[in-house]
Amino acid sequence: MTTVTAVDARQSAAGEDTPPAPWKALLILLVLAVAMAVGNILLGVFSAVQEQAKAELGFSDFQMSLLNGLAVSIPLAAFAIPVGLLVDRSVRVRLLFWTAVAWTIGTLLTAFAYSMPLLFFARMLGSVGANISTTIAISLAADLCLPEKRGRSLLLLTIGKYAGAGLAFALGGWLLGYFIESGGLIGLAPWRSIHLVLGLASLGIVAVLAFLREPKRMETRVGPQAPLREVFRELLSYWRFLVPLFMGQIGVLMADAAATVWAAPVLARSYNVTPQEFAGWMGAVIFGAGILGAIIGGIAADAGHRTGKRGGILIAAIIGSIIALPAVLFPLAPDTTMFAIALFVLLAGGTVTGLVTATALAVLLPNELRGLSIGTFLAVGGLIAFGAAPTLVTLVSGWLGGEDQLPMALALVGGVVSTLGCAGFIIAYRTAPQPIR
């Protein structure tokens, strides 16, 4: 299945932390970015067409929040830490291959799921692939370049992620219109036909990942085969930095997750636009925010690292979270133009903080802790952000008076969690360790 080469003999003999040649590193990064894009397309397209799925299946907003929230977060809570440990101690490209298999099967199963339990399980498989692959991709990308260039290497992964999130809406809307006019495939409803087509197309990236090669690990301290007790002890030594950092990114992630899940229903209900009408510009907003946020975050993270200042790498995260804070009011915008602008600012700020957080973990922690720390973040952050945020919005809307209060509930939840995120990044800046030299 996967070809794993021996570590370059010259590098092994010298015992140096030498990354691959630039052209080879760029090629691998592009493959990783495409994989991130595909995984996020397949996971996110359900959100773009969820109103059609809800109508066919007769589900409530609460049930849809479970499919978009809890079904996505349970795999993160269950597998992120074990996979993080495997990332630090095993062949990562094999793990990435199997995550791609998982998101492909989950997408295909979604096309044929007619009950809540089966659809819930299909969404879980999609989450295992698309979200768990983030840990693996970040660890691989960190070993493809020197520390001072890691922000820019993770920039490509972030672009891939947001390209996928944007294309999920753009492709979802276009394909929905196409299948409504032409009829679904093999008797399936249009939204199901979309999942069938994209699931089959995903087999291409699965084939490519089968031949990806494992890069040499850099900057190890206790080694990939160190006892787990020693690894966990070393991770706990960073708790004063990691706890507020996770609090900061989880707060921002909750706002972004809620926005991504509920933006389409708000547009359909409050602004009377269909997926075919908003999918194109919604996809452009998500993709554009990802591109701009990734560029700013990558460059700013590297610039902050080069200052040599303790916590300097997190300055961009603090600024990004503050700028994005007022944009949580996007569901209350007077028209779709202001809706789009505010959503763009919110997601761009979230992209900056996400990339800076990932870069900080890749730069400030030793190699053998990166997978574990990212896995821990995904487990905790995924359960809270993806699991709680969408459902929390529905609970608040119910408390406010019902499903027609969805826009106000979305704004309130976004405001509270984004404020907590800003505070977390400020504390993490003050408690950050010195960069590894």
Side-chain angles (χ1 to χ4, degrees):
M1 179 190 66
T2 305
T3 303
V4 181
T5 59
V7 176
D8 185 271
R10 177 176 57 80
Q11 293 178 350
S12 298
E16 297 177 348
D17 290 339
T18 306
W23 68 268
K24 185 181 295 185
L26 179 59
L27 181 61
I28 298 174
L29 283 170
L30 289 174
V31 171
L32 294 176
V34 171
M36 295 282 287
V38 172
N40 279 276
I41 288 173
L42 270 58
L43 180 63
V45 73
F46 184 79
S47 294
V49 298
Q50 63 177 305
E51 289 291 277
Q52 287 67 38
K54 177 186 176 184
E56 179 193 334
L57 297 168
F59 288 170
S60 66
D61 274 356
F62 180 75
Q63 288 174 299
M64 297 305 294
S65 76
L66 296 180
L67 292 173
N68 283 303
L70 200 59
V72 174
S73 64
I74 286 177
L76 288 175
F79 298 115
I81 293 178
V83 170
L85 288 170
L86 288 174
V87 165
D88 294 332
R89 306 165 73 88
S90 65
V91 180
R92 294 163 290 183
V93 291
R94 288 179 180 169
L95 295 175
L96 189 61
F97 171 84
W98 287 113
T99 61
V101 171
W103 77 51
T104 302
I105 294 175
T107 304
L108 293 173
L109 186 58
T110 298
F112 300 97
Y114 286 87
S115 67
M116 181 69 177
L118 188 56
L119 189 55
F120 194 92
F121 177 70
R123 295 288 290 159
M124 287 176 63
L125 279 179
S127 174
V128 168
N131 289 321
I132 298 297
S133 63
T134 301
T135 304
I136 307 166
I138 290 174
S139 178
L140 287 167
D143 287 332
L144 296 174
C145 60
L146 296 173
E148 58 269 20
K149 295 182 179 179
R150 265 176 209 154
R152 279 163 286 180
S153 71
L154 297 184
L155 184 156
L156 283 176
L157 298 188
T158 305
I159 289 176
K161 173 184 175 181
Y162 279 92
L167 284 171
F169 278 89
L171 274 177
W174 180 79
L175 288 173
L176 183 66
Y178 174 79
F179 284 123
I180 287 176
E181 291 182 4
S182 63
L185 297 175
I186 58 174
L188 295 173
W191 73 271
R192 296 182 183 278
S193 300
I194 293 170
H195 284 82
L196 177 59
V197 167
L198 295 181
L200 292 174
S202 176
L203 294 173
I205 191 63
V206 171
V208 172
L209 293 177
F211 296 95
L212 194 63
R213 299 185 176 189
E214 181 81 358
K216 178 183 182 294
R217 293 181 182 270
M218 300 197 297
E219 301 151 17
T220 59
R221 285 183 176 176
V222 298
Q225 301 304 321
L228 288 179
R229 180 180 300 179
E230 185 176 347
V231 173
F232 276 105
R233 184 184 300 116
E234 185 175 6
L235 182 67
L236 286 174
S237 68
Y238 289 92
W239 75 270
R240 293 181 183 276
F241 164 63
L242 291 177
V243 170
L245 179 67
F246 285 8
M247 183 181 81
Q249 186 54 25
I250 288 171
V252 173
L253 189 58
M254 286 184 72
D256 288 358
T260 303
V261 167
W262 292 118
V266 169
L267 283 169
R269 300 176 196 178
S270 299
Y271 299 88
N272 298 314
V273 290
T274 66
Q276 298 94 307
E277 293 171 327
F278 68 71
W281 64 257
M282 174 72 82
V285 164
I286 296 174
F287 180 59
I291 294 291
L292 181 62
I295 293 173
I296 294 174
I299 294 174
D302 286 344
H305 176 65
R306 285 195 299 270
T307 65
K309 293 178 58 177
R310 177 174 177 172
I313 198 171
L314 295 176
I315 294 175
I318 296 173
I319 297 174
S321 63
I322 293 173
I323 292 175
L325 184 55
V328 300
L329 299 177
F330 77 93
L332 305 178
D335 52 48
T336 55
T337 300
M338 291 303 300
F339 181 103
I341 293 173
L343 181 60
F344 180 93
V345 173
L346 177 68
L347 296 180
T351 307
V352 170
T353 64
L355 195 148
V356 171
T357 298
T359 306
L361 294 175
V363 169
L364 301 180
L365 299 184
N367 192 297
E368 63 272 9
L369 296 182
R370 289 171 191 159
L372 177 58
S373 63
I374 296 170
T376 302
F377 164 69
L378 287 177
V380 178
L383 185 61
I384 296 175
F386 295 108
T391 302
L392 181 60
V393 171
T394 65
L395 295 176
V396 173
S397 69
W399 175 68
L400 292 174
E403 292 187 356
D404 59 340
Q405 296 297 317
L406 180 64
M408 179 61 72
L410 183 55
L412 285 175
V413 171
V416 172
V417 297
S418 294
T419 300
L420 292 175
C422 291
F425 284 124
I426 293 172
I427 298 172
Y429 167 79
R430 298 174 64 87
T431 59
Q434 292 292 343
I436 297 174
R437 299 297 182 183

